[in-house]
Amino acid sequence: MSDDGIVFPVEASHIMMFRRSIGDYSVPDTGMEDAAAPPTFPRAVAQFDPDYFLRMKPGEEWFGSGKNPTGVAGKPSSSGGLHAEQHFEFVRPIKPGDVLTVTQTPGKSWEKESKRAGRLLFEEFVHEYRDEAGELVCTSRSVRVTTERPVDQG
Amino acid sequence: MLLKANELAVGDTYEDVLVEDLKRTQLVMYAGTSGDYNPLHTDDVYCREAAGYPGVFAHGMLTMGMTGRMITDRFGAENVKKFGVRFTNQVWPGDNLTGKAVIEAVREEGDETLVDISLTTTNQNGEVVVTGHATASVER
């Protein structure tokens, strides 16, 4: 994420599709133009992050399967991070037409031992969402956990 | 119809079926809208043969989003002040999820009436997959 932040244009059709994807049919599609975004929508800023690592990009290796189970050679069998915590605080709702600028600051990091997944590395990230007037709209705090091995399902 | 402050009492409990027999396509829909295309959520071959998981599992944010309907259905998306969760267990295709919301407080702050809610989402085996809290403003 760049230091200047990511510009996140909020569009009614994106919110409509997002709402469907969480099974939220409380707003009719015809009444979507002014409806506030669901509270978990801010994370969809990932769509506008040019460097977001969980989206395929032209000319770059992708770790998902194609001919082989993974497109990346030498990748350890346990992959990536899992989401441990997520917190949102709103000064006001996010609505279609908002153009938000989103900045990220790293927070704390800590380690813990787990029976089900080995050593766990926790990392916190804070995102601020500001409108075109520079006013704070939303703060998001995420905690990502990277596991030493896949979480035991036993 | 959204709930009003005079319809709420501390300890009131609401339960909703959030999803029955969660479909892999729901995960694909969530990947498409959120932009999180992690193969852990979209690519069964990768999960089984490269990542060491039995198959794809739900984005935590999908479970949080479904849990959030407990709040937005009753208080309106435009009235949510805070919403936070911890993810305690993974959610898998085929799971049935039930959300429980408990009214913890109804209070005045400035010129607003706020309701604090605790949230728990549980799977068909009684395992808690998400715990959380939310605060929303309500009409008096």
Side-chain angles (χ1 to χ4, degrees):
Chain A
M1 195 175 262
S2 86
D3 292 346
D4 296 337
I6 294 165
V7 176
F8 180 8
V10 177
E11 294 166 355
S13 56
H14 188 191
I15 296 174
M16 177 193 75
M17 291 185 283
F18 185 87
R19 207 180 268 117
R20 288 176 180 168
S21 77
I22 58 170
D24 178 354
Y25 294 94
S26 64
V27 178
D29 290 351
T30 50
M32 68 181 195
E33 294 80 4
D34 302 316
T40 57
F41 182 73
R43 292 268 310 195
V45 66
Q47 296 280 16
F48 301 93
D49 181 349
D51 303 322
Y52 190 59
F53 71 110
L54 294 173
R55 180 178 69 244
M56 288 198 293
K57 293 178 209 65
E60 290 184 23
E61 286 189 322
W62 177 245
F63 61 107
S65 68
K67 193 175 292 180
N68 299 312
T70 174
V72 178
K75 177 89 183 164
S77 64
S78 173
S79 69
L82 302 174
H83 210 156
E85 288 182 45
Q86 177 63 48
H87 305 268
F88 297 103
E89 279 195 47
F90 294 89
V91 179
R92 67 161 176 85
I94 293 175
K95 292 204 163 179
D98 279 333
V99 179
L100 304 172
T101 298
V102 186
T103 52
Q104 172 176 295
T105 47
K108 295 175 289 188
S109 66
W110 64 97
E111 288 194 17
K112 209 168 120 179
E113 203 60 38
S114 135
K115 285 200 180 96
R116 290 173 65 196
R119 196 177 59 254
L120 308 178
L121 171 63
F122 292 88
E123 294 170 283
E124 186 182 60
F125 301 91
V126 177
H127 294 94
E128 285 189 348
Y129 296 69
R130 291 180 182 274
D131 64 17
E132 286 173 292
E135 298 290 333
L136 184 66
V137 174
C138 167
T139 306
S140 156
R141 189 168 66 83
S142 312
V143 179
R144 184 172 70 194
V145 56
T146 307
T147 66
E148 187 177 16
R149 54 176 188 268
V151 182
D152 182 13
Q153 302 303 316
Chain B
M1 281 292 285
L2 302 181
L3 290 171
K4 293 183 176 167
N6 63 14
E7 298 173 279
L8 301 171
V10 172
D12 283 357
T13 301
Y14 302 90
E15 271 199 13
D16 290 343
V17 174
L18 299 177
V19 68
E20 287 184 304
D21 188 11
L22 176 66
K23 303 296 192 292
R24 288 169 183 80
T25 304
Q26 192 78 47
L27 278 54
V28 172
M29 287 172 74
Y30 191 76
T33 63
S34 67
D36 179 349
Y37 302 97
N38 193 338
L40 289 175
H41 309 306
T42 57
D43 185 338
D44 228 49
V45 173
Y46 170 82
C47 287
R48 284 186 277 108
E49 298 182 26
Y53 283 106
V56 291
F57 55 92
H59 304 73
M61 288 307 298
L62 170 56
T63 307
M64 184 178 188
M66 293 192 292
T67 301
R69 286 166 18 215
M70 300 283 299
I71 305 302
T72 54
D73 284 354
R74 293 182 172 82
F75 301 104
E78 65 279 16
N79 296 317
V80 177
K81 302 288 180 190
K82 288 185 188 179
F83 180 28
V85 302
R86 295 178 72 139
F87 302 101
T88 55
N89 273 296
Q90 283 155 291
V91 169
W92 301 90
D95 278 359
N96 302 328
L97 300 183
T98 303
K100 187 167 102 169
V102 180
I103 305 300
E104 300 290 343
V106 183
R107 57 194 171 87
E108 305 291 322
E109 191 175 291
D111 54 1
E112 285 185 308
T113 304
L114 299 179
V115 54
D116 297 319
I117 307 124
S118 67
L119 295 157
T120 313
T121 298
T122 308
N123 69 16
Q124 66 283 358
N125 302 320
E127 294 162 334
V128 174
V129 296
V130 153
T131 60
H133 287 89
T135 298
S137 63
V138 281
E139 266 188 63
R140 290 189 180 90

